[in-house]
């Protein structure tokens, strides 16, 4: 493992190893793979490609943006880098990434998850290759559902969800703990309605929170949020919603499946009492839209080993290793055709259903500046505390518009 986690030693030949193999430098992010999976992959890859010596370096998320930017501008960049799916545009804008548009079909791009593939493209070209995904599901208390006579498997639409949550919201139990500023959940409802956070026309962006679709989404959020005691002026991290659920009085939260482990860590008595289902959609035929988090793999334009880097991408994002990665890490695989790989994992299986209707934030380098200000959170709190939705949405949309166009 030590050899897999360090860069080339000073005794290596430039771009190669002492035994004549090509040294392929790869940056993967902390916790994106387990040590066991990394060891298995490296061994399998090098057996299949004995002329390549994979040297994986694990990177920390904190400060990674500056580190990647510096690497792309250097003459000594790694050959492959894992980046967050919504970060691809800012790196591609500088011209620092290899264009894989002509390789999409070869990599199975017809079946890629939209929420990974779309933000991996910029200005009509594909730079990011989908790696893995994660998205939000509903984590629920099976015992509280049974006590209330609610069958989670029968909840297929948003209206059925509200009706069930209303039945659960009594006798000291919160039907759902939904803080007022969970803007990712709101975005899902907005996409369900056919709207978007922002749209681009003729090179100019316009915020979309004041569209009829967005206003309907906020109205639904308001109905659902009222069926619990979530604070109207904070998000799911303040206080941590899994810790709130662990206190025993919450029937549901919207979270990635990993939140269930945090609940049990804080209250071991809830072991075996948590289940998962996809966020319901407007109709029973389509699951609710979700924000697709996760990672893409990119290759710096200055990387020394372009051919070997593509071989690496082909293997790690190919079907065989994607199935193993999904099973090992409870991720959603990068293709809709591979959802069955996590069928035995209840949380990951629920994620995979939702991932088929996955979306991404607006694909522009300026979106990071929107999230830094986050007028969406302020807008949500304003509406939930009684202000006029239409006027507050218009105000927030203006802020999004101005921020997105400030870099044009």
């Amino acid at each position: 493992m030590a050899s897999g986690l360090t860069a080339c030693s000073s005794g290596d030949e430039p771009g190669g190893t002492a035994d004549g193999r090509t040294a392929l430098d790869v940056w993967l992010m902390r916790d994106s793979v387990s040590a066991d999976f990394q060891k298995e992959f490296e061994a399998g890859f090098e057996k299949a490609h004995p002329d390549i010596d994979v040297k994986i370096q694990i990177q920390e998320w904190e400060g990674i943006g500056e580190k990647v930017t510096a690497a792309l501008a250097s003459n000594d960049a790694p050959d492959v880098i894992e980046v967050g799916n919504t970060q691809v545009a800012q790196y591609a804008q500088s011209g620092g990434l290899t264009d894989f548009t002509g390789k999409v079909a070869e990599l199975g791009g017809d079946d890629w998850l939209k929420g990974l593939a779309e933000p991996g493209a910029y200005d009509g070209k594909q730079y990011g290759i989908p790696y893995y995904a994660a998205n939000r599901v509903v984590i629920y208390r099976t015992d509280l559902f049974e006590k209330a006579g609610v069958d989670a498997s029968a909840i297929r639409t948003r209206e059925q969800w509200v009706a069930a949550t209303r039945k659960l919201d009594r006798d000291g139990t919160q039907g759902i703990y939904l803080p007022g500023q969970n803007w990712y959940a709101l975005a899902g409802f907005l996409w369900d309605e056919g709207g978007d956070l922002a749209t681009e026309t003729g090179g100019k962006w316009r915020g979309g929170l004041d569209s009829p679709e967005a206003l309907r989404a906020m109205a639904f959020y308001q109905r659902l949020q009222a069926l619990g005691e979530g604070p109207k002026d904070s998000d799911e991290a303040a206080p941590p919603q899994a810790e709130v659920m662990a206190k025993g009085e919450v029937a549901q939260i919207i979270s990635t499946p990993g939140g269930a482990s945090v609940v049990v860590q804080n209250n071991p008595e809830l072991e075996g009492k948590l289940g998962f289902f996809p966020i319901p959609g407007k109709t029973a035929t389509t699951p609710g839209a979700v924000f697709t988090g996760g990672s893409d793999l990119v290759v710096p334009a200055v990387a020394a080993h372009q051919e070997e880097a593509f071989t690496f991408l082909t293997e790690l994002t190919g079907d065989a290793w994607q199935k193993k990665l999904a099973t090992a890490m409870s991720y959603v695989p990068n293709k809709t055709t591979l959802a069955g790989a996590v069928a035995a994992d209840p949380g990951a299986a629920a994620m995979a259903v939702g991932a088929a209707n996955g979306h991404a934030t607006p694909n522009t380098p300026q979106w990071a500046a929107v999230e830094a200000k986050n007028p969406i959170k302020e807008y949500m709190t304003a509406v939930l505390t009684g202000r006029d939705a239409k006027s507050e949405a218009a105000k927030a949309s203006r802020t999004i518009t101005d921020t997105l166009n400030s870099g044009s």
Side-chain angles (χ1 to χ4, degrees), residues 70-363:
L72 296 180
S74 74
N75 294 319
D76 188 30
D79 298 295
V80 180
I81 304 176
E82 174 190 346
V83 300
N85 59 325
T86 61
Q87 297 172 340
V88 176
Q90 69 186 80
Y91 301 135
Q93 184 185 39
S94 68
L97 300 181
T98 297
D99 175 11
F100 288 107
T101 306
K103 299 286 189 178
V104 169
E106 187 176 343
L107 291 166
D110 288 346
D111 298 318
W112 282 341
L113 297 176
K114 288 195 307 179
L116 292 179
E118 290 180 355
Y122 179 71
D123 200 22
K125 298 179 180 179
Q126 192 73 41
Y127 296 97
I129 307 305
Y131 178 25
Y132 67 85
N135 50 263
R136 288 161 178 78
V137 300
V138 180
I139 301 176
Y140 73 98
R141 285 276 301 275
T142 56
D143 55 334
L144 295 179
F145 269 56
E146 184 177 353
K147 181 180 177 181
V150 175
D151 179 4
S153 66
I155 301 174
R156 304 291 298 279
T157 70
R158 293 195 328 204
E159 289 306 316
Q160 290 170 341
W161 190 21
V162 167
T165 303
R166 191 171 286 120
K167 289 182 68 175
L168 291 156
D169 191 40
R170 60 185 62 173
D171 301 327
T173 296
Q174 295 185 54
I176 188 169
Y177 179 84
L178 180 60
Q181 295 184 348
N182 188 337
W183 70 273
Y184 284 120
L186 175 65
F189 303 148
L190 195 168
W191 291 319
D192 278 339
E193 295 289 348
D196 210 336
L197 295 166
T199 54
E200 184 184 20
T201 304
K204 292 293 183 180
W205 287 90
R206 188 188 183 286
L209 294 182
D210 55 344
S211 69
E213 295 85 358
L215 292 171
R216 290 198 299 269
M218 188 63 217
F220 176 77
Y221 191 101
Q222 194 166 15
R223 289 173 61 201
L224 188 63
Q225 200 271 340
L227 299 175
E229 299 172 13
K232 295 177 171 59
D233 59 352
S234 64
D235 61 20
E236 58 271 36
Q241 63 177 358
E243 295 180 12
V244 177
M245 191 177 199
K247 294 178 181 178
E249 299 172 351
V250 171
Q252 306 171 86
I253 58 173
I254 299 172
S255 171
T256 56
S261 298
V262 181
V263 173
V264 173
Q265 286 171 13
N266 282 274
N267 185 355
E269 292 182 4
L270 295 182
E271 179 79 49
K273 296 180 180 179
L274 298 177
F276 311 87
F277 60 86
I279 294 174
K282 287 194 73 175
T283 67
T285 57
T286 306
V290 291
F291 167 74
T292 302
S295 290
D296 283 9
L297 297 173
V298 299
V299 174
V302 296
H305 308 111
Q306 294 285 328
E307 184 176 336
E308 292 84 356
F310 182 72
T311 299
F312 181 92
L313 295 182
T314 301
E315 290 281 3
L316 189 52
T317 68
D319 291 6
W321 285 108
Q322 278 291 302
K323 290 177 183 177
K324 292 181 179 181
L325 179 66
T327 302
M329 304 299 295
S330 294
Y331 290 149
V332 177
N334 64 359
K335 299 183 183 75
T336 56
T337 50
L338 301 178
V342 291
D345 182 326
M351 271 202 303
V353 172
N357 193 14
H359 295 252
T361 50
N363 192 7

